[in-house]
C-alpha cells in the first residue's frame, strides 16, 4: 500500500547529542508544498519482556522514574545500545531485573510509544518456562521485582494504576492472547 500522506526531510540540525537521545531540528516538506519545523528525539529503541509463570502471575518491577518523579509499576525492560539485537536485550533484562531465564519466548511485536516526536521502537516478548537465576542490576538501577496475578495487573491497567505504556501494551496483549487460546 502506498502512503497517502508524507513529509520529506529537507534539512536536519543536531541540537543535542546525549547518552540516550539525540535531538534534531528538521525542516520538512509537506504534501501541500509548504514547509514545517519538526523537532525529533532519536532513540535506539527498547526491549520489553513479560515474564509469565504457570500459576498465572507475571513479574513486574517497582521503579522510580526521574522524569515522572514517581515510582511506577513496569514490566522489565531496557534501552538498546546502537545496533543491539532487541531479543538479546530482552533476555538480558529478564535476568538483570527479575533474576529469571526462560525456555520459550513469544513475540508480542513492536510498538511506537511516542510517534509525534520520538523515533523509539519498543520490541516485546512473553517469556514462559521460567527458571530462577540471579538478579544483577546496573550500578545506577534500583528496583524491586514482584509477582502479580495477570488478572490483577489487567485490573490495575483498566483502573489507571499502571501508567507505563509498554506495561499497558504488554499486559493487554498477553491477556488477549490467553483469552483467544493463542498462548
Amino acid at each position: 500500500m502506498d502512503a497517502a500522506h508524507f513529509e520529506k526531510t529537507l534539512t536536519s540540525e543536531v541540537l543535542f547529542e546525549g547518552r540516550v537521545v539525540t535531538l534534531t531540528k528538521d525542516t520538512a516538506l509537506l504534501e501541500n508544498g509548504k514547509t514545517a519545523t519538526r523537532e525529533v528525539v532519536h532513540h535506539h529503541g527498547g526491549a520489553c519482556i513479560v515474564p509469565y509463570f504457570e500459576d498465572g502471575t507475571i513479574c513486574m518491577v517497582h521503579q522510580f522514574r526521574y522524569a515522572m518523579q514517581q515510582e511506577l509499576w513496569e514490566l522489565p525492560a531496557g534501552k538498546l545500545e546502537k545496533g543491539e539485537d532487541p531479543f538479546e536485550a530482552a533476555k538480558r533484562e529478564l535476568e538483570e531485573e527479575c533474576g529469571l531465564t526462560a525456555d520459550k519466548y513469544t513475540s508480542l511485536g513492536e510498538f511506537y510509544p511516542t510517534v509525534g516526536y520520538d523515533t523509539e521502537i519498543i520490541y516485546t516478548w512473553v517469556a514462559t518456562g521460567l527458571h530462577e537465576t540471579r538478579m544483577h542490576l546496573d550500578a545506577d538501577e534500583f528496583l524491586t521485582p514482584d509477582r502479580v496475578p495477570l488478572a490483577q495487573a489487567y485490573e490495575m491497567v483498566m483502573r489507571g494504576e499502571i501508567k507505563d505504556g509498554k506495561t499497558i501494551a504488554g499486559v493487554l496483549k498477553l491477556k488477549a492472547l490467553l483469552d483467544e487460546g493463542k498462548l
Side-chain angles (χ1 to χ4, degrees):
M1 179 175 117
D2 290 332
H5 301 286
F6 70 92
E7 294 185 11
K8 179 181 176 186
T9 305
L10 299 176
T11 64
S12 185
E13 174 190 2
V14 174
L15 300 178
F16 172 78
E17 193 159 2
R19 189 175 60 85
V20 177
V21 298
T22 298
L23 174 63
T24 62
K25 180 179 177 183
D26 299 354
T27 301
L29 175 64
L30 307 179
E31 58 190 77
N32 66 0
K34 296 184 179 185
T35 60
T37 299
R38 301 290 188 234
E39 295 170 351
V40 181
V41 175
H42 301 267
H43 188 285
H44 296 302
C48 178
I49 194 91
V50 187
Y52 182 63
F53 293 88
E54 290 179 19
D55 67 359
T57 61
I58 61 174
C59 184
M60 293 196 301
V61 299
H62 300 271
Q63 187 171 8
F64 185 83
R65 290 302 193 170
Y66 182 82
M68 303 313 295
Q69 286 294 297
Q70 60 184 292
E71 186 178 71
L72 299 175
W73 277 103
E74 296 181 54
L75 290 171
K79 66 179 172 33
L80 302 177
E81 300 302 325
K82 186 175 183 176
E84 184 177 17
D85 178 76
F87 180 55
E88 294 303 317
K91 292 192 296 186
R92 178 192 69 230
E93 293 299 326
L94 177 63
E95 186 169 358
E96 280 183 10
E97 295 187 3
C98 295
L100 297 168
T101 60
D103 293 332
K104 183 178 177 191
Y105 298 87
T106 303
S107 176
L108 291 180
E110 59 189 54
F111 71 96
Y112 310 146
T114 313
V115 296
Y117 59 86
D118 190 347
T119 65
E120 183 178 18
I121 300 172
I122 298 179
Y123 304 86
T124 309
W125 286 266
V126 174
T128 55
L130 298 167
H131 307 280
E132 287 189 21
T133 181
R134 186 179 68 78
M135 284 177 58
H136 47 93
L137 300 174
D138 295 335
D140 63 348
E141 191 171 35
F142 305 93
L143 55 82
T144 304
D146 199 4
R147 283 175 68 165
V148 176
L150 178 61
Q152 179 183 339
Y154 174 77
E155 289 302 322
M156 292 168 72
V157 165
M158 298 309 290
R159 286 192 304 263
E161 294 170 26
I162 293 177
K163 298 181 184 297
D164 173 62
K166 69 184 175 304
T167 303
I168 292 169
V171 167
L172 294 181
K173 281 188 160 189
L174 174 59
K175 183 178 183 315
L177 284 174
L178 290 167
D179 288 351
E180 294 168 8
K182 294 182 180 175
L183 188 67

